[in-house]
């Protein structure tokens, strides 16, 4: 599964980067690599379902980022 950047996951979820940052502080799962933060779509979807939020639409990633 490809890793998604903050900008990519915010776009998929249709939220601002500020909102994404707030969700991260509330426990949104993420993976750090140095100063960079990445997300797995499956983990984000599971987190949203747990919180009773609708699942984001299926949008294929543009690129694959590996650690």
């Amino acid at each position: 599964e490809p890793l998604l950047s903050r900008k990519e996951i915010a776009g998929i979820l249709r939220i601002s980067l500020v909102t994404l940052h707030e969700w991260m502080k509330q426990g949104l799962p993420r993976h750090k690599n140095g100063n960079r933060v990445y997300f797995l779509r499956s983990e984000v979807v599971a987190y949203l379902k747990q919180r009773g939020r609708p699942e984001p639409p299926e949008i294929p990633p543009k690129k694959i980022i590996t650690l």
Side-chain angles (χ1 to χ4, degrees), residues 5-37:
S5 69
R6 283 184 271 205
K7 188 174 179 181
E8 289 170 323
I9 201 70
I12 290 169
L13 298 175
R14 295 187 175 111
I15 60 173
S16 71
L17 291 174
V18 172
T19 299
L20 180 64
H21 184 71
E22 289 299 316
W23 287 11
M24 289 167 55
K25 289 196 290 189
Q26 294 173 12
L28 183 70
R30 61 197 178 272
H31 301 272
K32 289 187 175 186
N33 183 16
N35 291 348
R36 299 181 188 267
V37 177

Side-chain angles (χ1 to χ4, degrees), residues 1-2 5 7 20 39 42 44 46-47 49 54-56 64 66:
E1 181 176 7
S5 69
K7 188 174 179 181
L20 180 64
F39 302 86
S42 61
V44 172
Y47 175 83
K49 282 183 181 179
E55 186 174 331
I64 295 176
T66 56

